[in-house]
Amino acid sequence: MSNLDESGLKRDLHLRHMVMIAISGTIGTGLFLTSGKTVATAGPLGALLAYVVIGTWLVFVCQAIGEIATLLPLPGAFTAWGGRVFDEAFSFQMTWMYFINWALTIPAELSASSLIVSFWLGPDSSFPTWVVPVIIIVALVLINLLGVKVYGEIEYWFSILKVVTIVVFIICGILVDSGAVGGHTYGVENWHIAGAPFKGGFRAFLSVLVSVGFAYGGTELSGVTAAESRNPHKHVPKAVNTVLVRIAFFYILSIFFLACIVPNDDPRLLNADGTVVNAPFTIVFLQAGMKGGASYMNAVIFTSVVSAANSDFYVATRMLMSLSRNGWAPAIVGKTNSRGVPVVAVMITTAFSCIALVMIYAGASTVFDWLVSIIGSLIFLIWVCILFLHFRFRMCWKAQGHTPDQLPYQSWGYPYGHYLATVIGVCCVVASFYLSIDSKPNAAAFPLGAEDPAYKTARNHWAQGLLGAWFPWLLATTLFVSYKMIKGTKIVDPAQADLDTGRWVPPPVDPNRQHKVSAWKKLLSKFM
């Protein structure tokens, strides 16, 4: 019996896939490659606070996703909700913006792969690093053409590898920090050196928020995968409810021990030469005296890049399919084959992936920094939109005579937690706007004026921040206003909002087929 649903997608994702895909979306290139720069810029406490603040915002974003995606597991997920509860123009801009986000993230991940491989090759190697992204692109195309079941299985095992590595890192961090390994007791001594714990003050703290957002980006994937889950009522809540534990354990603890062991003025944190040997996780392994630690960490970072690119590729194809199904892209883009794969969407995403090959010639490390700035701001835009749509959804749900108890899953912390998350989100966006305008360097303040290398570096950083802060919001506004003027769309009346089409109805449970769950599995499910 086929499990192809009315949208042409296959519901082939199991609970273990959903949970581990959510984990895979949060543990990736951002944490492994950008966390060191965050500590070097904002200091140990500044970096830790940045991860706590953005993590708090993200917890309630995922709760909002879980509530709506459980009720309406639509292709396109939250990008499709705008037309249901607010305005079709809002859904149009959000779907395009989310596609652009992942279309840019894929080249960022692939360009990072060329940097990672250069660690093994050495500075004098003549090996063409563009070969690595080509191999990865071919692998991504094959995986996504084989169907969502293969994608889910591969992401499951990639995620296990990354989780094991984080656990090993935290254990290693405890042993090194306490002096049990390495012969030196660090404690929190690096929190009291010059510049710590708040290096650069409040301004530096604000400046790292976008890169932290990039590190957290992808957590919302559980909403997108809901359309291909076998049981959204069971799987989506399980996936979103693990977010708080993952943020606290994987991110906060990792950053804490990193900041304890590696001083914020260590030049290796800045990853200035673009090699992964200077990545923060690698430094801790090396200081632990673990032979081969650098190569092991490098290999894990490489697999995390492949895993993240695989998830990015999957989401980008689903966004294109959603655009097609809504009439915002050619109809052929949304057609699926017998495996439930949108083949044309895969081809278009492949073309975007090849941008990475051009980026390598422009300087992979430099372009990666530019993309982090843009993508981080795009993620902020998406999260703010998700919270707004959740407030609108609750308004529509109430206007139609429903109560929260009738929802298959209720987001906890509503409404006050969501108010807090909205305030955090708005403040982060305003801060990025302010810094982009106020941080323009003055050439007269540098010894060599406009020709001073330090001035050129500062100017490039300012340009990155300016483009990253304003590009997503200007483009989103243009898309929304243009569509609204051309199509003449109206804001949806809450009482008339369509909250029924696309609902997933769970099949009846056969009491004779109930499976007994062992005690240890029940205990494990509390944490997973």
Side-chain angles (χ1 to χ4, degrees), residues 234-490:
K234 178 182 177 182
H235 297 173
V236 175
K238 288 276 189 179
V240 299
N241 281 333
T242 62
V243 171
L244 177 59
V245 175
R246 293 200 310 275
I247 288 174
F249 185 78
F250 295 125
Y251 280 89
I252 306 303
L253 279 181
S254 296
I255 295 299
F256 174 76
F257 286 115
L258 170 65
C260 285
I261 298 169
V262 184
N264 64 78
D265 58 359
D266 190 322
R268 295 175 297 178
L269 280 176
L270 294 175
N271 208 21
D273 60 0
T275 59
V276 182
V277 69
N278 290 341
F281 283 64
T282 304
I283 297 172
V284 174
F285 273 77
L286 291 175
Q287 291 192 200
M290 298 174 64
K291 293 183 178 180
S295 290
Y296 168 76
M297 202 65 222
N298 205 59
V300 172
I301 294 174
F302 182 81
T303 60
S304 76
V305 168
V306 177
S307 170
N310 191 31
S311 292
D312 302 343
F313 203 100
Y314 165 82
V315 179
T317 59
R318 270 47 182 181
M319 289 303 103
L320 280 174
M321 188 175 70
S322 180
L323 286 165
S324 174
R325 296 293 172 85
N326 285 286
W328 304 329
I332 192 173
V333 175
K335 290 186 177 180
T336 57
N337 62 13
S338 59
R339 292 190 177 94
V341 177
V343 178
V344 177
V346 169
M347 295 170 61
I348 294 173
T349 305
T350 303
F352 274 95
S353 302
C354 292
I355 295 175
L357 305 180
V358 179
M359 290 169 52
I360 292 174
Y361 286 99
S365 182
T366 301
V367 178
F368 179 77
D369 288 340
W370 280 78
L371 288 178
V372 167
S373 180
I374 297 173
I375 295 165
S377 295
L378 277 166
I379 290 169
F380 281 3
L381 167 66
I382 296 297
W383 290 354
V384 169
C385 290
I386 289 171
L387 288 172
F388 170 73
L389 290 178
H390 186 236
F391 284 121
R392 282 287 304 184
F393 168 76
R394 279 297 188 105
M395 181 188 299
C396 297
W397 189 254
K398 182 178 180 180
Q400 295 182 18
H402 300 299
T403 64
D405 293 336
Q406 294 175 295
L407 291 167
Y409 173 73
Q410 292 185 55
S411 61
W412 45 264
Y414 185 88
Y416 301 108
H418 293 66
Y419 290 153
L420 172 63
T422 302
V423 170
I424 293 174
V426 171
C427 289
C428 288
V429 172
V430 172
S432 67
F433 287 160
Y434 169 74
L435 291 176
S436 70
I437 297 173
D438 189 61
S439 60
K440 184 178 181 179
N442 183 4
F446 294 84
L448 301 179
E451 298 302 319
D452 196 306
Y455 168 74
K456 293 180 179 179
T457 300
R459 184 186 60 189
N460 288 339
H461 287 163
W462 169 73
Q464 288 176 20
L466 187 67
L467 181 64
W470 292 94
F471 168 74
W473 293 92
L474 291 176
L475 181 58
T477 302
T478 301
L479 290 172
F480 176 80
V481 173
S482 300
Y483 190 87
K484 193 167 182 63
M485 292 179 63
I486 294 172
K487 296 292 186 178
T489 60
K490 304 293 183 182

Side-chain angles (χ1 to χ4, degrees), residues 46-91:
L48 189 66
L49 183 60
Y51 274 91
V52 170
V53 169
I54 302 299
T56 301
W57 177 14
L58 180 57
V59 165
F60 293 105
V61 168
C62 288
Q63 284 296 307
I65 291 172
E67 181 172 292
I68 308 179
T70 304
L71 180 73
L72 298 170
L74 305 174
F78 38 82
T79 62
W81 302 337
R84 298 288 190 97
V85 301
F86 180 53
D87 192 308
E88 185 178 312
F90 195 85
S91 186

Side-chain angles (χ1 to χ4, degrees), residues 37-50 195 197-212 264 431 434-435 439:
K37 188 174 182 179
T38 301
V39 173
T41 302
L45 188 55
L48 189 66
L49 183 60
F198 274 107
K199 185 177 181 180
F202 187 63
R203 186 185 184 89
F205 163 75
L206 294 178
S207 70
V208 301
L209 293 177
V210 170
S211 62
V212 173
N264 64 78
Y434 169 74
L435 291 176
S439 60

Side-chain angles (χ1 to χ4, degrees), residues 50-280:
Y51 274 91
V52 170
V53 169
I54 302 299
T56 301
W57 177 14
L58 180 57
V59 165
F60 293 105
V61 168
C62 288
Q63 284 296 307
I65 291 172
E67 181 172 292
I68 308 179
T70 304
L71 180 73
L72 298 170
L74 305 174
F78 38 82
T79 62
W81 302 337
R84 298 288 190 97
V85 301
F86 180 53
D87 192 308
E88 185 178 312
F90 195 85
S91 186
F92 171 78
Q93 69 84 12
M94 197 172 176
T95 307
W96 271 111
M97 293 305 294
Y98 203 53
F99 167 71
I100 292 171
N101 173 69
W102 294 113
L104 292 177
T105 304
I106 298 172
E109 305 283 6
L110 294 175
S111 66
S113 71
S114 66
L115 297 175
I116 295 167
V117 172
S118 64
F119 164 70
W120 288 304
L121 298 176
D124 299 325
S125 174
S126 59
F127 180 81
T129 54
W130 58 265
V131 172
V132 178
V134 169
I135 295 174
I136 296 176
I137 290 171
V138 172
L140 296 181
V141 173
L142 292 176
I143 291 170
N144 281 270
L145 286 177
L146 290 174
V148 71
K149 188 173 184 178
V150 174
Y151 158 78
E153 199 65 34
I154 291 175
E155 280 303 296
Y156 175 78
W157 290 106
F158 271 144
S159 295
I160 288 178
L161 174 62
K162 288 187 282 187
V163 169
V164 169
T165 300
I166 295 291
V167 172
V168 170
F169 173 79
I170 292 173
I171 294 173
C172 179
I174 294 173
L175 295 175
V176 175
D177 190 53
S178 64
V181 174
H184 179 77
T185 302
Y186 291 91
V188 291
E189 67 179 19
N190 286 326
W191 293 52
H192 302 289
I193 63 175
F198 274 107
K199 185 177 181 180
F202 187 63
R203 186 185 184 89
F205 163 75
L206 294 178
S207 70
V208 301
L209 293 177
V210 170
S211 62
V212 173
F214 173 78
Y216 277 129
T219 312
E220 69 282 349
L221 289 182
S222 54
V224 179
T225 56
E228 294 175 88
S229 166
R230 288 195 173 186
N231 189 336
H233 283 196
K234 178 182 177 182
H235 297 173
V236 175
K238 288 276 189 179
V240 299
N241 281 333
T242 62
V243 171
L244 177 59
V245 175
R246 293 200 310 275
I247 288 174
F249 185 78
F250 295 125
Y251 280 89
I252 306 303
L253 279 181
S254 296
I255 295 299
F256 174 76
F257 286 115
L258 170 65
C260 285
I261 298 169
V262 184
N264 64 78
D265 58 359
D266 190 322
R268 295 175 297 178
L269 280 176
L270 294 175
N271 208 21
D273 60 0
T275 59
V276 182
V277 69
N278 290 341

